[in-house]
């Protein structure tokens, strides 16, 4: 039976982790708004917490405009290298720059429910930011282990939410909404390199990606969204923010394609 879920106009939007591929989520948001959907719940981790936070406080298109002007050199200049053994980058410079695009705000003052997901390594559990500073939530959620410095707070050590839950569909609270999830770890579009031809660091990285894909698969099996928008893993590398225009268009077109398909129940 074909079910018309498009008649439901309120959306719970789940935005996953995946570095620069997260810019495709701006295109998904643009499609939803053009089609008249109302996003009244946002759950994001890592880059998804940033895009979702920008949208929640009305700055996502200003963010898109800024991103689309970035060059490779400008992206590199946003990297504030750390002398700490715990992380390559401090992450302060980019967040300070973003303050010029959308201001910090208490999460509880946002017009819709917003949740940023981080990982507490000290207790091996997820931490949900549902109140307090939006920027503090984003900073913890995007702290890629070994890349950005983690956040030590109240006997916890917070890192990227994607470590335990790269696509946090399970944290949707309003099950009456249309649930739309954007998975940034979709299937590869190009033939993959045989692992035996990779070096040690590349093998470690590919192992991490395989683990993330399995975690996402398990989450989706238990918490089926109404619409799952898959962005292929090889759509962009983690630092390809200079490709913002192209990635936003990929997200828009993929959302349009997925929503054009009948939903079978």
């Amino acid at each position: 039976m074909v079910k018309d879920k498009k008649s439901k106009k309120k959306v719970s939007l789940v935005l996953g982790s995946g570095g620069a591929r997260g810019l495709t989520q701006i295109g998904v948001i643009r499609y939803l708004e053009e089609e008249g959907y109302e996003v009244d719940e946002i759950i994001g981790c890592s880059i998804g917490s940033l895009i979702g936070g920008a949208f929640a406080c009305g700055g996502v298109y200003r963010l898109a405009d800024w991103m689309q002007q970035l060059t490779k050199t400008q992206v590199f200049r946003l990297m504030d290298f750390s002398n700490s053994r715990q992380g390559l980058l401090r992450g302060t410079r980019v967040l300070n720059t973003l303050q010029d695009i959308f201001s910090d705000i208490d999460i509880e003052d946002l017009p819709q429910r917003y949740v940023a997901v981080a990982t507490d390594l000290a207790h091996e559990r997820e931490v949900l930011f549902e109140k307090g500073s939006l920027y503090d939530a984003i900073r913890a959620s995007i702290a890629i282990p070994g890349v950005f410095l983690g956040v030590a707070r109240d006997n916890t050590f917070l890192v990227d939410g994607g470590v335990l839950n790269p696509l946090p569909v399970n944290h949707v609270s309003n099950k009456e909404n249309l649930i739309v999830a954007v998975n940034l770890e979709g299937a590869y579009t190009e033939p993959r390199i045989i692992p035996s031809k990779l070096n040690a660091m590349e093998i470690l990285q590919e192992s991490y990606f395989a683990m993330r894909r399995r975690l996402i698969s398990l989450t989706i099996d238990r918490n089926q969204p109404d619409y799952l928008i898959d962005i292929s893993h090889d759509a962009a590398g983690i630092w390809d923010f200079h490709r913002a225009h192209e990635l936003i268009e990929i997200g828009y077109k993929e959302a349009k394609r997925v929503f054009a398909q009948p939903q079978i129940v």
Side-chain angles (χ1 to χ4, degrees), residues 4-172:
D4 181 16
K5 293 183 177 177
K6 294 183 182 180
S7 60
K8 297 166 66 176
K9 285 293 186 178
K10 288 194 173 183
V11 168
S12 291
L13 182 61
V14 183
L15 303 176
S17 66
R21 290 190 299 280
L23 298 182
T24 61
Q25 297 167 339
I26 298 175
V28 173
I29 289 170
R30 193 181 83 200
Y31 173 81
L32 292 173
E33 290 204 307
E34 286 183 4
E35 293 299 310
Y37 292 98
E38 176 190 350
V39 178
D40 71 350
E41 182 178 30
I42 303 166
I43 300 94
C45 76
S46 198
I47 186 67
S49 73
L50 171 58
I51 301 300
F55 173 66
C57 66
V60 74
Y61 297 119
R62 291 194 300 276
L63 177 65
D65 289 342
W66 175 69
M67 289 281 191
Q68 289 177 97
Q69 296 175 34
L70 289 177
T71 64
K72 278 187 177 182
T73 300
Q74 289 170 324
V75 171
F76 181 79
R77 287 175 179 167
L78 288 170
M79 298 181 183
D80 47 356
F81 292 95
S82 163
N83 58 7
S84 171
R85 293 178 299 173
Q86 294 183 345
L88 180 64
L89 304 173
R90 288 190 294 270
T92 304
R93 185 176 299 165
V94 65
L95 288 179
N96 286 344
T97 303
L98 288 173
Q99 291 269 12
D100 295 331
I101 300 169
F102 63 95
S103 299
D104 196 7
I105 187 174
D106 285 338
I107 292 171
E108 53 267 40
D109 293 334
L110 292 171
Q112 62 272 93
R113 179 177 184 250
Y114 169 87
V115 179
V117 182
T119 298
D120 174 13
L121 278 186
H123 300 91
E124 298 183 5
R125 65 185 181 186
E126 294 175 58
V127 173
L128 305 184
F129 285 84
E130 300 182 80
K131 61 182 180 179
S133 163
L134 175 63
Y135 268 79
D136 285 352
I138 292 170
R139 175 63 185 85
S141 186
I142 66 171
I144 303 170
V147 177
F148 289 109
L149 292 177
V151 178
R153 193 187 76 166
D154 300 331
N155 297 317
T156 65
F157 188 76
L158 304 178
V159 297
D160 196 305
V163 170
L164 292 181
N165 197 348
L167 190 65
V169 187
N170 56 307
H171 294 304
V172 168

Side-chain angles (χ1 to χ4, degrees), residues 194-262:
I194 299 171
S196 62
K197 296 182 179 180
L198 302 175
N199 62 39
M201 186 58 66
E202 289 169 333
I203 291 173
L204 179 62
Q205 182 173 266
E206 286 299 316
S207 299
Y208 173 65
F209 292 147
M211 178 186 68
R212 284 166 57 86
R213 283 190 288 273
R214 176 56 63 90
L215 286 172
I216 291 170
S217 177
L218 291 172
T219 299
I220 291 172
D221 285 345
R222 294 183 178 183
N223 307 272
Q224 284 283 341
D226 296 305
Y227 289 93
L228 178 63
I229 299 167
D230 284 316
I231 305 299
S232 63
H233 180 92
D234 52 357
I238 188 173
W239 301 113
D240 286 348
F241 290 98
H242 61 285
R243 295 173 53 200
H245 178 77
E246 173 191 353
L247 291 168
I248 291 169
E249 288 304 309
I250 288 173
Y252 182 91
K253 291 176 181 178
E254 188 61 18
K256 185 176 182 180
R257 185 190 69 80
V258 168
F259 269 72
Q261 298 174 354

